[in-house]
Amino acid sequence: MAFVTDKEELKPGLVIFRRGDLQSRDWYCRVRLPKATRYKTIALKTPDITTARTLAYDHESEVRFALKRNLPVFNRPFSAVAKDYIAEQRLRAQRGEITMGRVKLIESVVKNQLNPYVGKTQIDLIALDRWQNYPSWRRSLSPGRMTRHGNVRPMTGAERDAAKALADDKAKQKGGAIGKQTAETQESENTDWIIVSDATIRFEMKIYRAIINDAVSKQEAPPHHRIEGMPALEKQRRDAFSLEEYRRLHTHARTKWVDAAKTETALWYRAMVYQFVLIMCNTGMRPSEARNLRWRDVMEATDKNGQPVTVLSVRGKGKSRQLVAPSSNVGKYLDRIRAIAVSTAPEAPVFSSATGTTERTLYKAFIADLLKDANLRVGPSGILRSTYSFRHTYATIRLTEGVSELLLAEQMGTSVQMIQEHYGHVDTIKHADLVLQGMSDWEPQELAAPTDAKQTVQIKRNARAKINTEPRKPH
């Protein structure tokens, strides 16, 4: 290092030095960790070389003591550890293990949520209680998407306290008086709506947990700070389209939305998007799998009964699999895309742009416009629907039709546990005949409709005879 001056090696792996880039004449020491290429640098805060040597030996002993007992060696803030974690994820993206989009999402969560919460706190001081208190603090930050669609609930006392503490912290940073009733604190105390969805908080806490556990594995945090599991937050049900909504969506697209295009390019895109929606709802593909789909990945085959099926070899989330769909619908939709595609070469993308390149956004703006135009943009839970809603629609309808969870999990490239967690509510509908079995016996049975005049006369005679034989009520 160019700024190192007056360097003196006290023993292998332990040196003291001064910094030439500073005016101070204080000494520093650097301790090399055993069986590693990492060093710990410590400011000795003394200009006296004799004192510096003694302090360097003391610090080296403390480092070895900590390593022997699996204690943290580096006192770094969460923000610095998170920065290293993001750098590692970026390398994973370059190797193709994850997408660069996911790295950017992690960066956004760290910058906008986690750093404001624990960014300045030393990593070895962040214990389980900070983890457990994150949801209350997070809801005190700002309105979430759910509030814009009427999905509200009163804030809890803990959430109000967190909101007030956040406002006080901001006031302190700006040089204001803590506890003073500013417009910001007034708003936080009078707010009675849910700030952010539990699904969003859960996702952010997964990143929080990954960073802490990464620090533990690098001995930057004590082993007992490792975080296991997830907090007991409500799991957000994924908004699918009901069968009636799905029919309304594709009918609206076919009869109104596509033909309403004002330019040839817009007409091409709307026609492509319409087929895209139909294919996604009939295959259960992930958006990433649809983005990667090439014409060489599309094959025709027959099932054991000789019925034609379309086989798609898809890739996404670092895995490859094959899914099947009826040729009578999905095969027909693919033929329609072939008819308007710029290229159907083996390496060409199935879902392309108007210029033939891969459609990176998967027609995001067009799909949002279609859903809004069909009045289906917002689901029952108040969350904006997106391309992923088509996958959930497929899963919901397939389960309702009686497909086993195991077969559906294999078809969709997920686990049975994931199917049960997110689509368990479908069982009530799927098994309605068993749940309601015998309930018809609770109600009076209707008389069967007579088939001819003789039966009608006989029914009336039986009814009169029953009335005449019953005891009369006392007056």
Side-chain angles (χ1 to χ4, degrees):
M1 293 179 287
F3 60 81
V4 172
T5 62
D6 302 332
K7 179 178 177 182
E8 178 181 336
E9 183 177 22
L10 302 181
K11 58 183 291 189
L14 177 63
V15 299
I16 59 173
F17 61 91
R18 287 192 174 108
R19 295 189 55 159
D21 58 338
L22 300 177
Q23 293 183 352
S24 171
R25 300 299 294 162
D26 286 348
W27 288 92
Y28 292 79
C29 78
R30 190 175 68 199
V31 182
R32 183 169 65 85
L33 273 61
K35 300 180 181 180
T37 58
R38 302 183 67 192
Y39 294 84
K40 178 172 178 144
T41 301
I42 306 163
L44 301 179
K45 299 180 181 179
T46 178
D48 182 69
I49 188 170
T50 302
T51 305
R53 289 169 180 153
T54 302
L55 290 174
Y57 280 113
D58 291 342
H59 283 297
E60 191 246 1
S61 298
E62 291 174 0
V63 169
R64 293 186 180 280
F65 178 87
L67 290 173
K68 187 175 181 179
R69 286 159 179 77
N70 291 322
L71 298 175
V73 175
F74 298 95
N75 296 321
R76 304 173 67 207
F78 177 91
S79 58
V81 176
K83 186 176 181 180
D84 290 347
Y85 177 80
I86 292 171
E88 292 171 1
Q89 300 310 303
R90 190 173 287 107
L91 290 175
R92 290 186 62 198
Q94 292 172 359
R95 295 194 297 266
E97 297 176 11
I98 59 176
T99 65
M100 190 58 71
R102 182 168 183 82
V103 176
K104 292 181 179 179
L105 193 56
I106 293 173
E107 283 184 297
S108 176
V109 169
V110 170
K111 176 183 177 181
N112 297 316
Q113 280 81 44
L114 301 185
N115 276 349
Y117 184 57
V118 289
K120 297 180 180 179
T121 306
Q122 297 298 319
I123 193 69
D124 60 318
L125 300 179
I126 303 176
L128 189 61
D129 60 333
R130 297 296 296 274
W131 156 263
Q132 294 170 337
N133 292 334
Y134 180 79
S136 294
W137 177 88
R138 179 65 176 90
R139 294 189 184 104
S140 70
L141 284 182
S142 59
R145 290 186 302 172
M146 297 177 72
T147 63
R148 298 198 291 268
H149 307 289
N151 195 334
V152 300
R153 68 149 171 79
M155 291 178 68
T156 65
E159 290 165 0
R160 289 183 185 279
D161 292 342
K164 187 175 184 302
L166 180 66
D168 286 344
D169 185 54
K170 288 182 178 179
K172 183 179 179 180
Q173 293 176 3
K174 295 177 182 179
I178 297 176
K180 184 178 180 180
Q181 284 291 321
T182 62
E184 190 172 22
T185 57
Q186 184 81 29
E187 181 182 356
S188 68
E189 291 185 4
N190 294 333
T191 299
D192 272 339
W193 32 256
I194 186 169
I195 309 301
V196 65
S197 73
D198 287 345
T200 297
I201 294 176
R202 181 180 292 274
F203 175 76
E204 292 168 1
M205 293 186 76
K206 286 182 179 179
I207 297 175
Y208 184 135
R209 179 183 62 184
I211 294 172
I212 294 294
N213 290 347
D214 187 56
V216 171
S217 67
K218 295 176 179 175
Q219 296 183 331
E220 295 181 337
H224 64 274
H225 282 192
R226 178 175 293 278
I227 300 173
E228 303 291 346
M230 286 296 294
L233 296 174
E234 178 184 349
K235 292 184 178 178
Q236 192 67 49
R237 180 175 294 180
R238 305 185 177 192
D239 277 344
F241 296 95
S242 66
L243 187 57
E244 187 276 331
E245 287 178 324
Y246 169 63
R247 287 170 177 163
R248 178 152 57 96
L249 176 64
H250 73 70
T251 299
H252 180 83
R254 182 184 72 250
T255 61
K256 296 181 180 180
W257 185 72
V258 173
D259 293 336
K262 296 180 179 179
T263 66
E264 287 297 321
T265 302
L267 180 62
W268 185 92
Y269 270 109
R270 291 194 177 201
M272 176 67 82
V273 168
Y274 173 45
Q275 305 308 318
F276 171 75
V277 170
L278 294 176
I279 291 173
M280 295 299 283
C281 288
N282 281 275
T283 61
M285 270 191 293
R286 294 184 177 90
S288 59
E289 294 170 340
R291 189 180 297 110
N292 295 331
L293 191 66
R294 299 291 184 268
W295 284 111
R296 58 176 165 75
D297 301 322
V298 180
M299 298 174 289
E300 296 297 326
T302 56
D303 63 13
K304 63 180 182 180
N305 298 319
Q307 296 296 317
V309 294
T310 299
V311 182
L312 304 179
S313 299
V314 297
R315 299 173 302 283
K317 297 189 73 172
K319 299 179 181 179
S320 300
R321 63 190 176 89
Q322 287 187 325
L323 60 83
V324 295
S327 294
S328 57
N329 54 18
V330 172
K332 181 171 61 177
Y333 307 147
L334 288 167
D335 286 340
R336 293 174 185 169
I337 292 179
R338 283 191 184 93
I340 64 173
V342 176
S343 172
T344 56
E347 296 299 320
V350 174
F351 303 112
S352 70
S353 67
T355 60
T357 59
T358 299
E359 178 55 44
R360 303 306 303 173
T361 68
L362 283 181
Y363 321 106
K364 181 178 179 180
F366 283 97
I367 288 174
D369 181 71
L370 169 60
L371 297 180
K372 183 178 180 181
D373 203 54
N375 198 26
L376 292 169
R377 181 75 163 120
V378 181
S381 63
I383 297 177
L384 296 177
R385 281 167 165 152
S386 65
T387 304
Y388 228 94
S389 298
F390 304 139
R391 176 173 165 86
H392 306 324
T393 299
Y394 174 83
T396 300
I397 294 176
R398 291 288 78 214
L399 286 171
T400 303
E401 292 294 329
V403 175
S404 74
E405 293 169 347
L406 176 60
L407 290 177
L408 186 63
E410 292 179 355
Q411 166 81 351
M412 297 183 68
T414 188
S415 66
V416 173
Q417 180 184 359
M418 187 67 70
I419 295 290
Q420 292 172 339
E421 284 182 359
H422 293 290
Y423 307 105
H425 61 284
V426 180
D427 283 345
T428 303
I429 303 172
K430 184 172 65 175
H431 301 304
D433 57 331
L434 299 177
V435 174
L436 303 178
Q437 186 175 7
M439 286 192 67
S440 59
D441 296 336
W442 296 0
E443 302 296 333
Q445 297 296 312
E446 296 290 337
L447 291 173
T451 58
D452 55 32
K454 280 187 177 182
Q455 284 186 329
T456 303
V457 173
Q458 185 60 45
I459 288 172
K460 291 181 178 179
R461 286 176 180 172
N462 291 342
R464 287 197 200 100
K466 185 177 181 181
I467 293 173
N468 292 334
T469 57
E470 286 180 351
R472 296 190 177 186
K473 294 179 181 180
H475 294 291

